[in-house]
Amino acid sequence: MKLTLWLLDVNSEAKNGVPEIWLWGIDRSGQRVLVIDRNFRNYFYAVIEETANAKKVAEGIAQQQSGSIVKLEVVERKLFGKPVNAVKVYCRNLNDVPKCARELRSFEGVKDCLEDDIRYSMRYLIDDNTVPCGWHEIEVTEETNTRKVQVSKVYRAQSFPKLLESTEVPKLKVLGFSTIFYSKEGSPKPDRNPVVMLSVATNSGEESQFLVDEDRNDGPVIEDFVSYVRHFDPDIIVGYGINGQDWPYLIERCKKLGLRLQVDRAETEPHISVYGHVSITGRANVDLLDFVGEFSEVKVQTLENLADYLGIMKIENRQLVEDVDYADYWDSREKREILKKFSMDNARCVMGIAEAVLDFAMQLSNLVSLPLDHVGSAAAGFRVEWFLIKRTHGLGELVPKRIEQPYRPYAGGVVLKPLPGMHGDIAVLDFKSMYPSLMIAYNISPDTYVPPKEPVPKSGVYEAPEVGHHFRKEPAGFYKEVLSYLISVRDEIRSRMKALPPESVEYRVFDARQKAVKVITNASYGYAGWTGARWYVKPVAEAAAAWGRHTILNSIRMAEEAGLRVVYGDTDSIFLNNDVEKIEELSKKIKKELGLEIKPDKVYVRIFFTEAKKRYAGLLPDGRLDIVGLEVVRGDWANIAKTVQGKVLEIVLKEQSPEKAAEFVQQFVSELRQKRVSFRDLIIWKTLTKPAEEYEVKASHVEAAKMLKEKGWELAVGDKVGYVIVVGSGRLYERVKPYKYASYDEVDLEYYVSKQVVPVVARVLESFGITEEQLLQSAMTQKETRKLSDFFGS
């Protein structure tokens, strides 16, 4: 019989030594099914020495082979574009591939062995064009469910999956959760601190909360959670930061309590997989934190900030609780209800973010052929690499070994020194896929690079400006093939979207797919210069960057010749005065002379630049502030510094009144001195990057950590340490105190005025002639004239 399957998850198993591929998915009727494929043999390539005869080498291997090799095949392949002869070695069992490859590396006539480090399940996806989050047709026979897996039916594959063209996504069951761990002293540790609360929400609208009893016996809490998961039977489990915190904690906590965290579909437990993510067999575990980078506007990447940005739950409507205060809130009868609501709101935010993110995640998974739980945790380089592996497989290109390279820097894109101060009506012109387009135009690819000692090919070469690297003109390299494919696919998708209503499901899926294609296309440029790349060829990335600099500098020259004033430039964009007619003519000229498309990406009503590169704030037409690189978006200052700078930028950009901004600062300082500012906003948070005793240099957060340890707190690498600066003498690190053990009366308020508030606002106001000294002087002499609420209400 033929089965139509939407592939959710894939894993490999071995039964009686026979390797199996397990394909978990959903059929057309909505049933959860498992297809077991025992037809696929794993293999690797033995690359033959140029002077050796491949056929004779294969015969020699066959004569000496052990029972682990089942088939040998002489093939022609390419390696970095150069033809090679190879023997394709098929192995019997999963563990035979690395063992056989080690043996054959020393076999006479074998130069090296390649692709022995590709995992069996990924090999399966590569070879047969089987893609996660896509529909396939498979010839199957039904089997008895002897494995006790949690599915409606188990099948045995009689054919390899055939990919179907379909944008439809089945109705998936999604479960999101949020945890609260209890610790009175420091960050919670699973060997001693209980899970006091687990909040769950689903895409079917169900919500549940599991709480410990008064004895803080959390065994029943975890068991109830496991039971709920198995009963709801989700296809996808989501959370925020769950790969780094929640799952590892629950796994270790269950070991301590002697419980099984059996939340998968195969009666096993979650385990750490290849990219550091947690794998749950038969389900997709998706950590939404892995996708927050796709929202560049969210500068501080917390759950509440992302939920606020997406309009799921506004921060001003929430009562937030810091993790270090969970125990205090749990122990208080009055505050416990606040903690319960906070936890449930977190679960709701998780589900809201999942609704916004999962379409993109699934399309990215489908595009690069990494399973859904892998694709978020995999670094951009790995995403690009798996896409390249899949595409080059059809071109006969062998996959090189991964050899970790030493970091060797190279010049990147052009970043102009900005014209500091305020500018009105500024357009930002962005090149469309600048680096991919340059790589296509100049055939820049790992397999087209011509090293200095090699002769120039008959087809001729392109020579990169500045760096002088050569790339053959013909034939096309695999980067040109891959990038041309990606750009054409995205153009086709966007063209089809125009005919669809934006509110339709099909439009949403296409939009997610074109974003996924864009992400992979833009990440391809830096891949060849990534030290972890299999196809690492530094001149590829270096030449692309050089052509990029050449392009942007020529564009700036053309803009100035056209009478446009360029105020800033960064990598593949230029900021200039918004003269619509001149910009339109400039775009046409750049297209004609440089062969690249450039168009306005955004327009700022007003934009403010500091003297430093990559630090600016702009006012968008819809009233939002776009802030890049300033303290307001950085996590290493007290909250008062970020609050004040953000408000100053808002006043300056929206009201164009530096004087009013300075007045706001004076009033804020007055309220701070009267202790009307929240004590929590004075806390400075820093993360321990190594054990406190291993720091050689005295640092404030390290001294605070040592004080906490003296009071019985157990701190580990990655823990946040919150401290305040108190009145006293000596160096700054001698005047810190963990905020838990400090009172407002001890705080050195003048430190916060002179070292936190005034410096960050001076970075803005000095451009308008208001100096740090003037701000400090006025802060000393100012009188209370307005309430702070007057400014925030303005």
Side-chain angles (χ1 to χ4, degrees), residues 100-285:
C100 288
R102 282 195 303 271
E103 293 173 356
L104 290 186
R105 281 191 175 96
S106 59
F107 196 87
E108 186 177 354
V110 174
K111 186 176 183 179
D112 200 358
C113 291
L114 298 178
E115 303 198 14
D116 55 299
D117 57 349
I118 293 180
R119 287 175 296 113
Y120 182 50
S121 58
M122 290 306 299
R123 176 92 271 166
Y124 186 90
L125 295 178
I126 293 163
D127 283 30
D128 294 299
N129 199 26
T130 305
V131 298
C133 303
W135 288 99
H136 305 79
E137 189 176 79
I138 316 172
E139 193 71 35
V140 298
T141 54
E142 189 171 349
E143 286 192 349
T144 305
N145 187 357
T146 58
R147 314 293 179 94
K148 296 182 180 178
V149 291
Q150 190 178 358
V151 292
S152 297
K153 291 184 179 180
V154 176
Y155 298 99
R156 177 172 181 170
Q158 302 296 333
S159 69
F160 292 122
K162 177 186 176 184
L163 182 63
L164 302 176
E165 287 294 327
S166 175
T167 59
E168 181 188 352
V169 177
K171 188 174 181 181
L172 299 168
K173 298 172 73 175
V174 185
L175 179 148
F177 74 100
S178 176
T179 55
I180 299 290
F181 307 130
Y182 179 98
S183 175
K184 291 289 286 184
E185 292 86 21
S187 295
K189 302 295 183 291
D191 62 338
R192 59 185 176 86
N193 297 123
V195 182
V196 293
M197 193 181 305
L198 265 161
S199 298
V200 175
T202 74
N203 64 339
S204 63
E206 296 179 27
E207 292 183 354
S208 289
Q209 204 163 45
F210 310 107
L211 311 174
V212 299
D213 55 27
E214 294 304 319
D215 294 332
R216 292 201 290 273
N217 175 16
D218 58 337
V221 171
I222 298 173
E223 288 177 322
D224 288 345
F225 171 67
V226 169
S227 176
Y228 186 93
V229 171
R230 294 191 64 77
H231 179 264
F232 182 72
D233 192 23
D235 303 300
I236 302 173
I237 300 179
V238 293
Y240 198 86
I242 52 176
N243 279 334
Q245 179 177 334
D246 302 70
W247 284 125
Y249 198 100
L250 290 170
I251 290 167
E252 291 303 312
R253 189 64 185 159
C254 283
K255 289 179 183 177
K256 174 70 175 178
L257 299 174
L259 301 175
R260 283 179 58 79
L261 190 60
Q262 198 172 300
V263 291
D264 71 348
R265 282 177 166 155
E267 294 197 335
T268 61
E269 294 184 270
H271 59 277
I272 306 299
S273 193
V274 61
Y275 298 115
H277 68 280
V278 173
S279 178
I280 300 175
T281 305
R283 311 190 199 278
N285 170 56

Side-chain angles (χ1 to χ4, degrees), residues 565-576:
R565 184 168 180 251
V566 178
V567 297
Y568 184 56
D570 188 350
T571 311
D572 60 354
S573 59
I574 51 178
F575 295 57
L576 35 71

Side-chain angles (χ1 to χ4, degrees), residues 288-511:
L288 300 171
L289 178 60
D290 292 330
F291 295 95
V292 69
E294 307 303 330
F295 303 94
S296 58
E297 300 88 346
V298 181
K299 309 300 183 182
V300 182
Q301 298 176 341
T302 61
L303 171 65
E304 56 268 17
N305 282 347
L306 182 55
D308 179 87
Y309 170 75
L310 294 172
I312 296 159
M313 198 173 290
K314 304 305 287 184
I315 286 180
E316 57 263 31
N317 298 330
R318 294 200 60 186
Q319 185 165 350
L320 301 177
V321 183
E322 294 285 350
D323 53 2
V324 293
D325 294 327
Y326 289 170
D328 290 342
Y329 273 70
W330 179 262
D331 290 339
S332 167
R333 290 288 184 186
E334 294 177 359
K335 291 183 176 180
R336 186 179 296 182
E337 293 304 313
I338 297 173
L339 185 65
K340 287 167 64 177
K341 184 177 187 305
F342 166 77
S343 177
M344 197 65 244
D345 281 348
N346 282 348
R348 291 168 183 149
C349 286
V350 161
M351 285 306 303
I353 294 168
E355 186 175 347
V357 164
L358 281 179
D359 281 333
F360 169 76
M362 287 188 286
Q363 291 304 316
L364 188 62
S365 169
N366 183 276
L367 177 69
V368 303
S369 283
L370 275 172
L372 184 56
D373 59 343
H374 289 53
V375 76
S377 299
F382 288 120
R383 295 175 184 175
V384 171
E385 188 162 270
W386 282 114
F387 182 76
L388 289 176
I389 288 172
K390 185 138 189 172
R391 295 295 300 182
T392 55
H393 175 75
L395 302 174
E397 184 79 24
L398 291 177
V399 180
K401 287 189 293 188
R402 188 185 311 285
I403 302 172
E404 197 68 32
Q405 305 285 341
Y407 175 67
R408 290 177 285 178
Y410 59 89
V414 170
V415 183
L416 295 182
K417 186 174 175 60
L419 293 176
M422 185 84 80
H423 304 275
D425 197 21
I426 296 296
V428 182
L429 269 63
D430 265 5
F431 280 96
K432 177 189 175 184
S433 305
M434 183 171 82
Y435 287 108
S437 297
L438 288 169
M439 297 176 89
I440 291 169
Y442 298 107
N443 204 21
I444 307 171
S445 184
D447 56 329
T448 61
Y449 172 59
V450 181
K453 293 182 180 179
E454 287 192 9
V456 174
K458 290 181 181 179
S459 65
V461 295
Y462 295 109
E463 182 174 323
E466 300 178 38
V467 294
H469 298 315
H470 289 171
F471 297 86
R472 69 166 191 255
K473 290 185 175 180
E474 294 176 356
F478 66 75
Y479 257 39
K480 185 169 185 173
E481 188 277 336
V482 166
L483 292 172
S484 298
Y485 165 79
L486 286 170
I487 289 173
S488 66
V489 163
R490 186 166 184 240
D491 287 344
E492 181 186 347
I493 292 170
R494 297 179 84 177
S495 175
R496 292 174 70 178
M497 287 170 62
K498 291 177 182 177
L500 297 170
E503 66 276 7
S504 69
V505 173
E506 195 174 12
Y507 182 95
R508 193 179 76 182
V509 173
F510 275 136
D511 188 42

Side-chain angles (χ1 to χ4, degrees), residues 551-714:
T551 300
I552 201 79
L553 290 173
N554 272 316
S555 300
I556 290 168
R557 173 184 56 79
M558 284 190 260
E560 291 172 341
E561 289 173 353
L564 290 162
R565 184 168 180 251
V566 178
V567 297
Y568 184 56
D570 188 350
T571 311
D572 60 354
S573 59
I574 51 178
F575 295 57
L576 35 71
N577 56 297
N578 187 28
D579 187 320
V580 177
E581 289 186 6
K582 288 183 178 179
I583 285 175
E584 189 174 337
E585 288 302 312
L586 174 66
S587 299
K588 291 177 182 177
K589 188 176 181 181
I590 289 173
K591 176 71 173 176
K592 181 180 178 181
E593 295 189 16
L594 302 180
L596 296 176
E597 185 178 337
I598 191 171
K599 58 183 179 180
D601 174 57
K602 63 176 72 170
V603 173
Y604 292 109
V605 176
R606 278 177 291 279
I607 188 169
F608 167 78
F609 291 102
T610 67
E611 293 188 356
K613 298 175 181 180
K614 295 184 180 288
R615 292 196 177 188
Y616 58 87
L619 175 64
L620 297 166
D622 61 5
R624 290 182 296 119
L625 295 189
D626 184 24
I627 301 172
V628 175
L630 294 165
E631 284 79 4
V632 71
V633 298
R634 288 163 57 190
D636 52 357
W637 288 74
N639 200 48
I640 55 166
K642 293 183 276 189
T643 299
V644 174
Q645 190 185 65
K647 188 62 185 178
V648 164
L649 287 168
E650 183 182 339
I651 294 171
V652 166
L653 288 167
K654 289 186 175 180
E655 303 183 45
Q656 303 182 72
S657 176
E659 296 77 17
K660 184 177 179 182
E663 185 185 343
F664 164 75
V665 175
Q666 294 167 10
Q667 185 58 32
F668 189 93
V669 168
S670 172
E671 301 234 349
L672 173 59
R673 285 177 172 147
Q674 295 174 65
K675 302 175 185 173
R676 294 180 183 172
V677 175
S678 169
F679 176 76
R680 181 164 290 280
D681 288 341
L682 305 179
I683 302 169
I684 302 169
W685 294 94
K686 287 271 194 176
T687 300
L688 288 174
T689 57
K690 54 185 174 182
E693 59 274 9
E694 292 184 13
Y695 281 84
E696 297 178 3
V697 179
K698 298 280 189 179
S700 297
H701 72 297
V702 176
E703 295 307 302
K706 289 177 180 177
M707 294 178 195
L708 288 170
K709 292 190 79 171
E710 288 174 3
K711 292 182 177 292
W713 288 56
E714 291 190 21

